[in-house]
mmCIF file of all heavy atoms in Angstrom:
data_model
loop_
_atom_site.group_PDB
_atom_site.id
_atom_site.type_symbol
_atom_site.label_atom_id
_atom_site.label_comp_id
_atom_site.label_asym_id
_atom_site.label_seq_id
_atom_site.Cartn_x
_atom_site.Cartn_y
_atom_site.Cartn_z
ATOM 1 N N GLY A 339 16.290 9.757 3.693
ATOM 2 C CA GLY A 339 15.258 10.691 4.120
ATOM 3 C C GLY A 339 15.051 11.739 3.005
ATOM 4 O O GLY A 339 13.962 12.161 2.753
ATOM 5 N N ALA A 340 16.168 12.240 2.464
ATOM 6 C CA ALA A 340 16.040 13.280 1.400
ATOM 7 C C ALA A 340 15.387 12.765 0.179
ATOM 8 O O ALA A 340 14.444 13.417 -0.465
ATOM 9 C CB ALA A 340 17.443 13.765 1.104
ATOM 10 N N LEU A 341 15.670 11.559 -0.223
ATOM 11 C CA LEU A 341 15.028 10.895 -1.348
ATOM 12 C C LEU A 341 13.587 10.682 -1.240
ATOM 13 O O LEU A 341 12.798 10.970 -2.066
ATOM 14 C CB LEU A 341 15.693 9.544 -1.618
ATOM 15 C CG LEU A 341 17.151 9.630 -2.209
ATOM 16 C CD1 LEU A 341 17.813 8.275 -2.386
ATOM 17 C CD2 LEU A 341 17.129 10.317 -3.572
ATOM 18 N N ILE A 342 13.167 10.208 -0.066
ATOM 19 C CA ILE A 342 11.686 10.029 0.182
ATOM 20 C C ILE A 342 11.016 11.310 0.247
ATOM 21 O O ILE A 342 9.937 11.473 -0.326
ATOM 22 C CB ILE A 342 11.604 9.350 1.650
ATOM 23 C CG1 ILE A 342 12.054 7.913 1.559
ATOM 24 C CG2 ILE A 342 10.045 9.424 2.010
ATOM 25 C CD1 ILE A 342 11.917 7.183 2.964
ATOM 26 N N GLY A 343 11.691 12.365 0.763
ATOM 27 C CA GLY A 343 11.029 13.697 0.742
ATOM 28 C C GLY A 343 10.812 14.263 -0.614
ATOM 29 O O GLY A 343 9.872 14.887 -0.968
ATOM 30 N N ILE A 344 11.816 14.083 -1.475
ATOM 31 C CA ILE A 344 11.806 14.602 -2.821
ATOM 32 C C ILE A 344 10.650 13.877 -3.652
ATOM 33 O O ILE A 344 9.823 14.438 -4.354
ATOM 34 C CB ILE A 344 13.172 14.394 -3.573
ATOM 35 C CG1 ILE A 344 14.196 15.314 -2.948
ATOM 36 C CG2 ILE A 344 12.950 14.732 -5.141
ATOM 37 C CD1 ILE A 344 15.574 15.089 -3.393
ATOM 38 N N ARG A 345 10.616 12.529 -3.521
ATOM 39 C CA ARG A 345 9.636 11.788 -4.237
ATOM 40 C C ARG A 345 8.241 11.970 -3.754
ATOM 41 O O ARG A 345 7.236 12.023 -4.519
ATOM 42 C CB ARG A 345 9.892 10.268 -4.038
ATOM 43 C CG ARG A 345 11.192 9.823 -4.906
ATOM 44 C CD ARG A 345 11.267 8.341 -4.648
ATOM 45 N NE ARG A 345 10.187 7.598 -5.266
ATOM 46 C CZ ARG A 345 10.094 6.226 -5.154
ATOM 47 N NH1 ARG A 345 10.914 5.504 -4.413
ATOM 48 N NH2 ARG A 345 8.898 5.682 -5.730
ATOM 49 N N GLY A 346 8.091 12.277 -2.413
ATOM 50 C CA GLY A 346 6.810 12.521 -1.878
ATOM 51 C C GLY A 346 6.245 13.891 -2.280
ATOM 52 O O GLY A 346 4.970 13.942 -2.330
ATOM 53 N N GLY A 347 7.037 14.762 -2.718
ATOM 54 C CA GLY A 347 6.552 16.059 -3.167
ATOM 55 C C GLY A 347 6.332 16.179 -4.690
ATOM 56 O O GLY A 347 5.838 17.256 -5.118
ATOM 57 N N SER A 348 6.618 15.175 -5.429
ATOM 58 C CA SER A 348 6.547 15.223 -6.888
ATOM 59 C C SER A 348 5.402 14.617 -7.560
ATOM 60 O O SER A 348 5.145 14.758 -8.686
ATOM 61 C CB SER A 348 7.809 14.696 -7.508
ATOM 62 O OG SER A 348 7.940 13.289 -7.117
ATOM 63 N N ALA A 349 4.559 13.679 -6.754
ATOM 64 C CA ALA A 349 3.463 13.118 -7.383
ATOM 65 C C ALA A 349 2.467 12.775 -6.223
ATOM 66 O O ALA A 349 2.723 12.733 -5.105
ATOM 67 C CB ALA A 349 3.918 11.710 -8.019
ATOM 68 N N PRO A 350 1.183 12.569 -6.794
ATOM 69 C CA PRO A 350 0.195 12.176 -5.783
ATOM 70 C C PRO A 350 0.505 10.879 -5.059
ATOM 71 O O PRO A 350 1.083 10.102 -5.655
ATOM 72 C CB PRO A 350 -1.149 12.041 -6.563
ATOM 73 C CG PRO A 350 -0.900 12.781 -7.821
ATOM 74 C CD PRO A 350 0.506 12.678 -8.107
ATOM 75 N N ALA A 351 0.061 10.792 -3.759
ATOM 76 C CA ALA A 351 0.443 9.536 -3.058
ATOM 77 C C ALA A 351 -0.423 8.400 -3.531
ATOM 78 O O ALA A 351 0.076 7.347 -3.512
ATOM 79 C CB ALA A 351 0.128 9.766 -1.559
ATOM 80 N N GLY A 352 -1.596 8.554 -4.216
ATOM 81 C CA GLY A 352 -2.382 7.407 -4.587
ATOM 82 C C GLY A 352 -3.686 7.827 -5.065
ATOM 83 O O GLY A 352 -3.864 9.029 -5.446
ATOM 84 N N GLY A 353 -4.624 6.890 -5.332
ATOM 85 C CA GLY A 353 -5.997 7.244 -5.878
ATOM 86 C C GLY A 353 -6.032 6.900 -7.379
ATOM 87 O O GLY A 353 -4.965 6.751 -8.038
ATOM 88 N N ALA A 354 -7.242 6.935 -7.926
ATOM 89 C CA ALA A 354 -7.445 6.456 -9.416
ATOM 90 C C ALA A 354 -6.990 7.620 -10.260
ATOM 91 O O ALA A 354 -7.119 8.813 -10.041
ATOM 92 C CB ALA A 354 -8.825 6.155 -9.612
ATOM 93 N N ARG A 355 -6.351 7.261 -11.422
ATOM 94 C CA ARG A 355 -5.878 8.287 -12.342
ATOM 95 C C ARG A 355 -7.077 8.474 -13.449
ATOM 96 O O ARG A 355 -7.645 7.444 -13.737
ATOM 97 C CB ARG A 355 -4.558 7.854 -13.068
ATOM 98 C CG ARG A 355 -3.409 7.875 -12.136
ATOM 99 C CD ARG A 355 -2.099 7.399 -12.870
ATOM 100 N NE ARG A 355 -0.951 7.534 -12.048
ATOM 101 C CZ ARG A 355 -0.200 8.516 -11.838
ATOM 102 N NH1 ARG A 355 -0.547 9.601 -12.525
ATOM 103 N NH2 ARG A 355 0.871 8.480 -11.018
ATOM 104 N N PRO A 356 -7.329 9.521 -13.990
ATOM 105 C CA PRO A 356 -8.292 9.762 -15.033
ATOM 106 C C PRO A 356 -8.034 8.905 -16.296
ATOM 107 O O PRO A 356 -6.799 8.779 -16.598
ATOM 108 C CB PRO A 356 -8.372 11.128 -15.276
ATOM 109 C CG PRO A 356 -6.992 11.691 -14.882
ATOM 110 C CD PRO A 356 -6.587 10.748 -13.753
ATOM 111 N N ALA A 357 -8.931 8.226 -16.911
ATOM 112 C CA ALA A 357 -8.705 7.521 -18.156
ATOM 113 C C ALA A 357 -8.238 8.384 -19.236
ATOM 114 O O ALA A 357 -8.662 9.565 -19.359
ATOM 115 C CB ALA A 357 -10.000 6.796 -18.604
ATOM 116 N N PRO A 358 -7.377 7.905 -20.181
ATOM 117 C CA PRO A 358 -6.966 8.750 -21.256
ATOM 118 C C PRO A 358 -8.184 9.358 -22.125
ATOM 119 O O PRO A 358 -9.127 8.630 -22.424
ATOM 120 C CB PRO A 358 -6.155 7.784 -22.141
ATOM 121 C CG PRO A 358 -5.677 6.795 -21.163
ATOM 122 C CD PRO A 358 -6.801 6.582 -20.198
ATOM 123 N N GLY A 359 -8.203 10.592 -22.330
ATOM 124 C CA GLY A 359 -9.270 11.220 -23.143
ATOM 125 C C GLY A 359 -10.606 11.389 -22.326
ATOM 126 O O GLY A 359 -11.572 11.870 -22.890
ATOM 127 N N GLY A 360 -10.631 10.948 -21.061
ATOM 128 C CA GLY A 360 -11.795 11.000 -20.259
ATOM 129 C C GLY A 360 -12.061 12.512 -19.806
ATOM 130 O O GLY A 360 -11.170 13.353 -19.959
ATOM 131 N N PRO A 361 -13.187 12.722 -19.244
ATOM 132 C CA PRO A 361 -13.477 14.028 -18.736
ATOM 133 C C PRO A 361 -12.738 14.478 -17.512
ATOM 134 O O PRO A 361 -12.413 13.615 -16.710
ATOM 135 C CB PRO A 361 -14.992 13.960 -18.424
ATOM 136 C CG PRO A 361 -15.209 12.507 -18.175
ATOM 137 C CD PRO A 361 -14.273 11.786 -19.051
ATOM 138 N N VAL A 362 -12.408 15.628 -17.490
ATOM 139 C CA VAL A 362 -11.590 16.187 -16.230
ATOM 140 C C VAL A 362 -12.598 17.093 -15.589
ATOM 141 O O VAL A 362 -13.024 18.021 -16.165
ATOM 142 C CB VAL A 362 -10.431 16.853 -16.814
ATOM 143 C CG1 VAL A 362 -9.675 17.443 -15.543
ATOM 144 C CG2 VAL A 362 -9.459 15.941 -17.540
ATOM 145 N N ARG A 363 -12.766 16.770 -14.221
ATOM 146 C CA ARG A 363 -13.654 17.618 -13.536
ATOM 147 C C ARG A 363 -12.710 18.613 -12.667
ATOM 148 O O ARG A 363 -11.694 18.253 -11.988
ATOM 149 C CB ARG A 363 -14.557 16.864 -12.563
ATOM 150 C CG ARG A 363 -15.580 16.001 -13.373
ATOM 151 C CD ARG A 363 -16.395 15.284 -12.477
ATOM 152 N NE ARG A 363 -17.464 14.524 -13.145
ATOM 153 C CZ ARG A 363 -18.554 15.008 -13.607
ATOM 154 N NH1 ARG A 363 -18.781 16.346 -13.467
ATOM 155 N NH2 ARG A 363 -19.399 14.277 -14.294
ATOM 156 N N GLY A 364 -13.280 19.758 -12.553
ATOM 157 C CA GLY A 364 -12.431 20.741 -11.742
ATOM 158 C C GLY A 364 -12.952 20.882 -10.393
ATOM 159 O O GLY A 364 -12.400 21.565 -9.554
#
Side-chain angles (χ1 to χ4, degrees):
L341 290 175
I342 292 175
I344 292 171
R345 291 183 61 188
S348 61
R355 294 177 177 273
V362 177
R363 294 184 178 275

